Amino acid sequence: MVRLTLLLLPALLLGDDLKGLLDFAAKNSDIVQTKVQTQEAKGKELASQKSAYYPTVDLGAYYQRLDEKSPFMPGETYSGYAKVGVDIYDGGKKSSLVEQKQNELKSSSFDTAATKRNLSLDIVQDFYNIKNLQATLGAKEEAGKFLKAQLYRVSQFYIAKMATKDEVDRLQSAFDTNTYEVEATKLQILSAKKILSLKVGKDVESFEDSSFKEPASESFEPSDSVKSLVAQKDSLDSGARALMSAYYPMLRVEDTYSIYRYGNVDPIMPKQPDSQNQLMVTLGMRVFDNGSVEKSKEAVVASSQALNTQINYLSQEQKVNFEISQEKIKTSKVEISSATSALQAAKSAFVTIEQKYNAGIADNVTYLDALASLTNAKALETKALNDMQSAYATYYYYSGKDIREFLK
């Protein structure tokens, strides 16, 4: 048992990588499951609508009793029947309704895919935001160690009358402020992890480093949100055609076979049939409804046109965001270069100033400024690197791709 625990320990200590989080969320997140269940319902609606092509079979029975009857009628009649019916022509109503349900299912499937991709982008952004907060926390905790050591050193000098009270107070203030910021950052990380866990569908505690492939020239294609609206518009168009089928002839054939039994029969009553087969052909056509169907169609067409406008807007919005994401990548590369250079300078400056401060050449104001610059530079470089990864994810998202496919 101990050996097994030791073997599993490395796996237990590893955190979640980004791809694992995205794959888990795509299958288990409540947000996604809601869309999947809706899609399944649409599939069942389509199967139900396709069944309308098949003939209908009805079974029935009735009992009839006449309290006041003529001598030529039975007082009681028992009957059971079976009826088979089929629509020969319905003006294209069934085919239009099937087409409508197919488009609704297609729209729902694209909506599910769009929800997964939207959720993936949210998780990526949350993931790297937490990484930024962790970098900030690490830098502040490291700064806290420097401040604690210097506070102790200067406090000893103060006891020995070699430092003034204001020098101790300034370091104490900087140390306490840094401690406050550390605790505030820890709360931010905790809150961000809770929100991320809710989106993923499981508790997330620690993270493995993850990165995206650097984009090449990716082809641009409409997003799943746009495709969903297009399918939804097609569904409305099919529904409009189904409405107009009411103005076409309707031809139906029904065959009914009935069995009869009688009671309370007069002897002089002629013999009644024990069974009967009835064939009925029905032809009907609507000739006037004061434009009711036509007006209903106009309402559906208006909704379709509104969707078309929305499709155009979302398509343009996607293209604009795609172009912005391209520029963001260029900007991120410059930011990384600047942040790396700033960190190197801050490290060099801090080493020099710390030596001077320890030697009593530099005052504590200069030391605290150098320490703050170093802390900010460390967090800024990590943020720039993480922002680049978020920019890659955004670029893939607005190019219409699944960002999971581009994780290393």
Side-chain angles (χ1 to χ4, degrees):
M1 183 66 182
V2 174
R3 184 178 180 184
L4 178 61
T5 303
L6 292 174
L7 289 173
L8 292 176
L9 186 58
L12 296 174
L13 293 175
L14 289 176
D16 294 292
D17 65 3
L18 186 52
K19 190 175 189 309
L21 292 177
L22 297 182
D23 288 341
F24 188 90
K27 295 178 181 178
N28 300 283
S29 171
D30 289 339
I31 301 172
V32 174
Q33 285 302 309
T34 299
K35 298 297 182 180
V36 170
Q37 290 164 4
T38 300
Q39 184 178 336
E40 290 173 351
K42 292 298 180 182
K44 292 178 181 179
E45 288 179 11
L46 174 59
S48 173
Q49 190 58 54
K50 285 181 176 179
S51 296
Y53 280 116
Y54 292 89
T56 59
V57 179
D58 297 298
L59 297 176
Y62 71 84
Y63 165 74
Q64 174 182 288
R65 189 184 74 178
L66 298 176
D67 291 334
E68 298 294 335
K69 69 180 187 67
S70 69
F72 302 100
M73 298 178 63
E76 296 179 337
T77 303
Y78 307 86
S79 178
Y81 66 88
K83 180 169 66 175
V84 179
V86 62
D87 291 324
I88 304 300
Y89 181 70
D90 64 357
K93 181 178 181 179
K94 287 187 179 67
S95 61
S96 295
L97 289 176
V98 167
E99 190 177 83
Q100 181 184 33
K101 294 302 179 182
Q102 287 173 334
N103 286 319
E104 286 181 1
L105 176 59
K106 188 186 296 184
S107 174
S108 181
S109 65
F110 282 131
D111 191 28
T112 301
T115 299
K116 289 180 180 180
R117 296 190 182 189
N118 293 342
L119 181 61
S120 291
L121 184 62
D122 284 346
I123 290 173
V124 167
Q125 292 173 339
D126 288 350
F127 180 88
Y128 286 112
N129 178 51
I130 292 172
K131 296 289 263 183
N132 288 339
L133 290 172
Q134 289 175 332
T136 299
L137 176 63
K140 288 187 179 297
E141 286 178 337
E142 186 177 355
K145 293 177 182 179
F146 283 110
L147 288 170
K148 185 177 182 180
Q150 291 296 345
L151 179 60
Y152 176 79
R153 188 179 71 85
V154 173
S155 296
Q156 295 303 309
F157 284 164
Y158 175 71
I159 294 173
K161 307 297 183 181
M162 296 173 63
T164 61
K165 183 69 166 56
D166 67 292
E167 290 179 307
V168 177
D169 289 342
R170 285 189 179 185
L171 283 170
Q172 184 67 56
S173 175
F175 177 77
D176 290 340
T177 300
N178 188 77
T179 302
Y180 171 87
E181 291 173 350
V182 165
E183 295 304 316
T185 305
K186 286 180 179 179
L187 178 60
Q188 285 181 287
I189 293 173
L190 176 64
S191 300
K193 282 184 177 179
K194 292 292 184 183
I195 294 173
L196 179 60
S197 297
L198 181 63
K199 292 177 181 178
V200 172
K202 70 170 185 175
D203 289 337
V204 181
E205 294 298 334
S206 59
F207 307 104
E208 289 294 305
D209 289 335
S210 302
S211 60
F212 288 91
K213 299 174 184 176
E214 185 171 355
S217 297
E218 297 299 328
S219 60
F220 179 87
E221 60 183 66
S223 67
D224 288 319
S225 297
V226 172
K227 293 176 183 177
S228 177
L229 289 179
V230 171
Q232 192 175 334
K233 176 185 177 299
D234 292 341
S235 173
L236 288 176
D237 294 340
S238 300
R241 288 193 292 272
L243 286 171
M244 294 307 293
S245 67
Y247 291 134
Y248 290 86
M250 306 290 172
L251 179 62
R252 182 174 176 82
V253 176
E254 292 183 339
D255 187 88
T256 306
Y257 181 79
S258 303
I259 298 175
Y260 302 100
R261 296 293 182 268
Y262 308 98
N264 189 16
V265 179
D266 292 332
I268 62 172
M269 187 188 79
K271 180 175 175 56
Q272 300 294 313
D274 292 331
S275 63
Q276 188 176 64
N277 189 73
Q278 180 186 33
L279 178 66
M280 179 181 293
V281 179
T282 306
L283 178 65
M285 182 175 179
R286 181 175 297 182
V287 295
F288 179 75
D289 64 358
N290 197 30
S292 174
V293 172
E294 183 65 33
K295 291 172 184 175
S296 296
K297 178 197 171 185
E298 290 174 359
V300 174
V301 170
S303 297
S304 176
Q305 291 173 343
L307 274 179
N308 197 50
T309 302
Q310 189 176 358
I311 289 168
N312 291 335
Y313 176 80
L314 286 181
S315 297
Q316 292 300 318
E317 182 183 47
Q318 182 188 352
K319 290 178 182 178
V320 168
N321 285 323
F322 178 67
E323 293 170 359
I324 293 174
S325 68
Q326 290 175 310
E327 295 302 317
K328 174 59 178 173
I329 291 175
K330 296 177 184 177
T331 302
S332 294
K333 290 180 178 180
V334 176
E335 290 175 343
I336 290 173
S337 178
S338 299
T340 301
S341 177
L343 177 58
Q344 292 173 348
K347 284 180 178 179
S348 176
F350 179 74
V351 169
T352 301
I353 291 173
E354 184 180 35
Q355 291 173 348
K356 291 181 177 180
Y357 181 65
N358 291 336
I361 300 173
D363 59 20
N364 57 4
V365 175
T366 304
Y367 173 79
L368 291 175
D369 285 344
L371 180 59
S373 296
L374 178 61
T375 302
N376 292 333
K378 286 181 178 179
L380 191 62
E381 185 193 41
T382 302
K383 182 178 184 302
L385 292 169
N386 289 334
D387 285 350
M388 171 66 85
Q389 297 303 316
S390 293
Y392 286 167
T394 304
Y395 171 83
Y396 290 127
Y397 173 82
Y398 284 115
S399 68
K401 306 298 189 302
D402 185 349
I403 61 179
R404 291 180 294 169
E405 298 176 1
F406 300 91
L407 277 164
K408 293 181 181 178

